Amino acid sequence: MRFPSKEIVERVRKQYPAGTRVELVQMDDVQAPPVGTVGTVTAVDDTGSLLMHWDNGSHLNVLYGTDVVREIYD
């Protein structure tokens, strides 16, 4: 896997600051929450992945360049 540049990681951090609410659109993982699950971003790591707290109790991260979420506004 190729890691994103520091500039991309900073852009992701600005787009998804801690507390941002997102909905899962796609995640290719057998342990993935169901599509449509809503959660809160807790941080963005150095690979641009979103560290998550899903409303269903899962903490599976959203991988940059692989998984898809959309920001929601409660």
Side-chain angles (χ1 to χ4, degrees):
M1 178 178 163
R2 185 167 183 235
F3 293 112
S5 68
K6 289 181 181 183
E7 293 81 13
I8 290 173
V9 172
E10 285 306 312
R11 187 172 69 224
V12 172
R13 285 184 173 139
K14 287 179 182 172
Q15 183 177 357
Y16 296 102
T20 301
R21 300 282 288 162
V22 297
E23 178 182 357
L24 183 61
V25 175
Q26 177 183 350
M27 184 180 282
D28 188 22
D29 189 302
V30 296
Q31 296 180 5
V35 169
T37 300
V38 174
T40 303
V41 175
T42 60
V44 175
D45 70 12
D46 290 340
T47 68
S49 293
L50 306 181
L51 308 184
M52 295 298 303
H53 178 86
W54 296 103
D55 290 0
N56 69 354
S58 173
H59 292 275
L60 196 60
N61 296 339
V62 174
L63 300 180
Y64 176 81
T66 301
D67 303 326
V68 181
V69 295
R70 70 175 185 88
E71 188 172 356
I72 59 170
Y73 304 93
D74 290 329

